[in-house]
Amino acid sequence: MGSAERAAVFDVDGTLVDTNHLHVVAWWEALRQAGHQVPMHAVHRAVGLPSTDLVAHLLGDSRDKDQDAGISAAHKALYGQYFARLPALPGAGALLRRLHREGWAVVLATSAGGAELSALRRAIDADDAITATASADDVDEGKPSPEPVEHALELAGVPAERAVFVGDTVWDMLAGSRAGVRCVGLLCGGIPRTDLEKSGADAVYADPAHLLSSLRGSPLARGRHETE
């Protein structure tokens, strides 16, 4: 695949599709069904971690690990009820198509797979602009490990110094930073600007539409990586 000179790697949930709070509700209910009362704000902060890591992060090492698979399965079933109506965030598809036209390899780096990934791509409605997708099934460790971003760069055939990673969580910024790419944070996932910047964001925008309208002064400006 690697014919492009630059890669724009995108997280999906909370970055391109407005799903974070749907995940919060589904995880909260899955945990409740398993007998755990976890505050929704804590669940929100954990969204973006792989399922097993999210459960461990919220319940700790002393939890009954035999519950993990059931909690994850309950979340998957609860969240699946929304697949037909997942809403793209403003400007998501237009941003990907603009970058594609300007010669960027656009790669999605997401923990979603199967029917969930198909639903997310339908919501974005920009398959013509997407070069490749790196899913959780393709790597041993999810974010904040750099592995998902590194795998996305391998698919694009682009080195880290010619790539930018766009995400909405602390886990995204940590993964991108550890992979050696410049990171752009979006506020539409609900994580504060300060937290994104502390975790490695080089620039922060409200949502995909804001990034699209600010493209010329952003880390995704044409040729900017060649002068830094």
Side-chain angles (χ1 to χ4, degrees):
M1 287 182 189
S3 60
E5 294 185 357
R6 301 171 291 176
V9 182
F10 283 85
D11 170 64
V12 180
D13 281 297
T15 300
L16 297 172
V17 187
D18 194 8
T19 54
N20 278 11
H21 291 85
L22 299 176
H23 277 297
V24 170
V25 171
W27 277 117
W28 177 85
E29 176 61 16
L31 290 160
R32 189 199 65 80
Q33 290 178 6
H36 303 284
Q37 291 293 336
V38 180
M40 288 198 191
H41 72 84
V43 178
H44 181 207
R45 293 287 184 146
V47 166
L49 289 170
S51 293
T52 301
D53 294 345
L54 182 145
V55 174
H57 181 77
L58 291 173
L59 299 183
D61 291 337
S62 62
R63 73 191 186 284
D64 179 2
K65 295 181 178 64
D66 290 340
Q67 287 189 326
D68 286 8
I71 293 172
S72 294
H75 162 264
K76 185 175 182 179
L78 290 160
Y79 179 65
Q81 298 174 39
Y82 299 111
F83 281 0
R85 54 191 190 278
L86 298 180
L89 282 153
L95 174 61
L96 300 193
R97 287 190 289 271
R98 171 76 169 273
L99 292 171
H100 176 70
R101 287 197 304 270
E102 294 192 355
W104 292 80
V106 175
V107 184
L108 306 184
T110 175
S111 58
E116 181 181 351
L117 178 58
S118 296
L120 291 166
R121 291 183 70 141
R122 280 197 303 273
I124 299 166
D125 192 25
D127 275 357
D128 53 315
I130 298 170
T131 301
T133 301
S135 78
D137 297 335
D138 304 319
V139 297
D140 294 324
E141 290 187 72
K143 305 165 199 170
S145 162
E147 195 175 351
V149 180
E150 291 168 347
H151 180 57
L153 298 181
E154 290 173 7
L155 292 175
V158 172
E161 60 268 21
R162 296 211 305 271
V164 177
F165 180 48
V166 184
D168 68 295
T169 68
V170 165
W171 319 116
D172 292 328
M173 299 302 101
L174 291 171
S177 297
R178 290 168 181 171
V181 303
R182 299 192 69 190
C183 295
V184 171
L186 300 185
L187 298 172
C188 42
I191 300 303
R193 174 187 298 270
T194 301
D195 291 4
L196 297 174
E197 290 174 342
K198 286 181 178 177
S199 303
D202 293 294
V204 178
Y205 300 89
D207 56 19
H210 184 209
L211 175 56
L212 177 59
S213 68
S214 308
L215 210 54
R216 287 296 163 244
S218 80
L220 286 156
R222 184 194 297 272
R224 177 165 180 170
H225 67 282
E226 296 167 354
T227 62
E228 297 189 350

